Amino acid sequence: MMRIDVKNEEIHMYGKQSRRLVPAAAMFAALALAAPASAVAADPPPEYPGCEDFNITFTFTGGNQADRVVREKDGVIYTITAGHGTVLTVTNAETLKSVTFPTQGSVTQVTQYPDGTADIQLTGKNLFILFPGDDPGPSTKLYTGRVTFSNDANGRSTVTSTSGTQRDICAELAP
């Protein structure tokens, strides 16, 4: 996920360094709105170390997202992002093999603490990317159900629970 502090009305990536995209639909929609159309069309998508043996890239179309800071209390920020309708394509950056799927609907609830840590819960259909150094990582999976994870102050993610179905995107894109 992109590692940028979570703030209302901005791209929602969790942590400090450029890493993971959660939820992917929200990030892609925000990036598309933030960049001029000519820049989006001209620049190749960035590569992410989301699989054990190769990097991946993303493209997207459509989608509607809404962000809301539910409350802020004692320095803790509670945020909800929800949306639907984004179609994602994930590509093996080396072989150019790709898979495309709709995200249909997702909700992300974030509790961000003053010390830079965060607890995140994803529900619905979410593409979730873990990088080297995350626990467990690296991996790219499409979850339909619920995923909870935490980020430490250095931006490292640890998955705490999953339920529902998992689709291993790395296995599908392997050479």
Side-chain angles (χ1 to χ4, degrees):
M1 317 252 140
M2 297 287 178
R3 298 295 188 168
I4 300 173
D5 290 335
V6 177
K7 294 182 181 177
N8 190 34
E9 303 300 320
E10 292 187 11
I11 301 169
H12 287 274
M13 288 9 110
Y14 309 102
K16 296 185 179 184
Q17 302 170 357
S18 177
R19 299 182 53 145
R20 177 179 8 278
L21 313 169
V22 174
M27 192 269 323
F28 293 133
L31 285 176
L33 294 173
S38 61
V40 172
D43 294 338
E47 293 185 16
Y48 298 96
C51 293
E52 184 74 34
D53 297 322
F54 55 91
N55 289 342
I56 56 175
T57 65
F58 302 91
T59 57
F60 64 96
T61 59
N64 295 304
Q65 296 292 315
D67 297 331
R68 181 174 167 205
V69 172
V70 176
R71 65 182 167 162
E72 184 174 347
K73 182 178 180 182
D74 298 327
V76 179
I77 301 170
Y78 303 89
T79 308
I80 295 176
T81 302
H84 61 88
T86 302
V87 176
L88 298 173
T89 299
V90 182
T91 303
N92 178 323
E94 295 172 15
T95 66
L96 303 181
K97 183 177 179 181
S98 65
V99 293
T100 299
F101 47 86
T103 58
Q104 295 164 327
S106 63
V107 176
T108 302
Q109 297 174 319
V110 179
T111 304
Q112 185 174 1
Y113 303 99
D115 65 359
T117 62
D119 292 320
I120 299 101
Q121 175 180 279
L122 309 173
T123 56
K125 198 167 195 176
N126 289 279
L127 182 66
F128 190 65
I129 304 165
L130 292 169
F131 298 119
D134 291 333
D135 182 21
S139 67
T140 299
K141 294 184 180 178
L142 179 66
Y143 285 99
T144 303
R146 182 173 178 253
V147 178
T148 60
F149 64 100
S150 61
N151 282 351
D152 67 19
N154 295 315
R156 289 186 182 89
S157 297
T158 300
V159 175
T160 54
S161 70
T162 65
S163 63
T165 61
Q166 301 177 29
R167 181 174 166 186
D168 187 344
I169 303 300
C170 292
E172 292 182 36
L173 297 177

